[in-house]
């Protein structure tokens, strides 16, 4: 779920409403310093990645970047969290066929392999391999 600058409020709301356990939470300000990407001051308090566990399900929340268009209805994606990088690569490639890569499958601070893709039906997907230290 993408929120429009109110990610922290959404995390708290869904945590309480769904009785969810907060299993991961990062703001853009938590990112390590990088010469390739300097986090603008107005982004530092925004949610980069929050993960709520609801029994055997997960809800992931992040804020959109300031200035990026935000449209209610296009702010939901389907997330698949796997424990096998090769399987994630296959699924990503299959969903990308006749679709569009949004973010190539790559290593991130929270995942060995994470990527975003829109399939040929216009459905947005997040593919992620769960790091063993996030369990």
């Amino acid at each position: 779920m993408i929120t429009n600058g109110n990610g922290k409020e959404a995390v708290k709301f869904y945590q309480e409403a769904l009785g969810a356990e907060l299993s991961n939470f990062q703001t853009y300000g938590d990112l390590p310093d990088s010469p390739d990407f300097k986090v603008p001051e107005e982004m530092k308090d925004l949610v980069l990645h929050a993960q709520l566990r609801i029994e055997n399900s997960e809800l992931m929340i992040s804020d959109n970047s300031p200035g990026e268009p935000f449209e209610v209805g296009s702010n939901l994606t389907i997330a698949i969290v796997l424990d096998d990088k090769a399987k994630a690569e296959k699924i990503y490639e299959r969903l990308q066929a006749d679709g569009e890569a949004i973010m190539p499958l790559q290593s991130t601070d929270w995942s060995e392999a994470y990527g975003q893709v829109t399939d040929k039906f216009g459905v947005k997907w997040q593919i992620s391999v769960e790091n063993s230290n996030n369990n």
Side-chain angles (χ1 to χ4, degrees):
M1 166 188 300
I2 304 296
T3 54
N4 195 22
N6 57 348
K8 287 182 176 179
E9 178 185 352
V11 168
K12 184 177 180 183
F13 172 78
Y14 289 115
Q15 189 175 10
E16 291 173 6
L18 302 171
E21 171 192 342
L22 184 63
S23 60
N24 194 344
F25 184 87
Q26 289 178 293
T27 64
Y28 282 93
D30 294 330
L31 287 172
D33 289 333
S34 167
D36 297 330
F37 178 71
K38 178 150 175 60
V39 177
E41 222 29 67
E42 69 270 14
M43 286 182 67
K44 289 189 175 181
D45 203 38
L46 296 177
V47 176
L48 170 67
H49 178 73
Q51 189 170 345
L52 297 169
R53 290 190 189 265
I54 307 115
E55 296 190 21
N56 293 328
S57 300
E58 295 182 1
L59 173 63
M60 293 183 224
I61 298 172
S62 63
D63 277 313
N64 66 324
S65 296
E68 283 188 11
F70 180 82
E71 184 179 336
V72 173
S74 67
N75 57 326
L76 294 175
T77 61
I78 300 172
I80 299 177
V81 180
L82 305 159
D83 59 7
D84 181 276
K85 185 177 178 181
K87 186 180 267 188
E89 290 168 345
K90 270 187 193 175
I91 290 172
Y92 183 90
E93 289 303 317
R94 288 176 183 160
L95 289 172
Q96 185 182 346
D98 297 324
E100 178 185 357
I102 299 169
M103 178 181 178
L105 202 60
Q106 60 191 279
S107 177
T108 66
D109 290 336
W110 66 88
S111 176
E112 176 184 352
Y114 174 83
Q116 298 177 22
V117 64
T118 300
D119 70 21
K120 66 181 181 179
F121 300 105
V123 176
K124 294 180 183 178
W125 296 83
Q126 296 181 56
I127 310 300
S128 185
V129 176
E130 189 167 55
N131 286 337
S132 58
N133 61 357
N134 286 346
N135 291 333

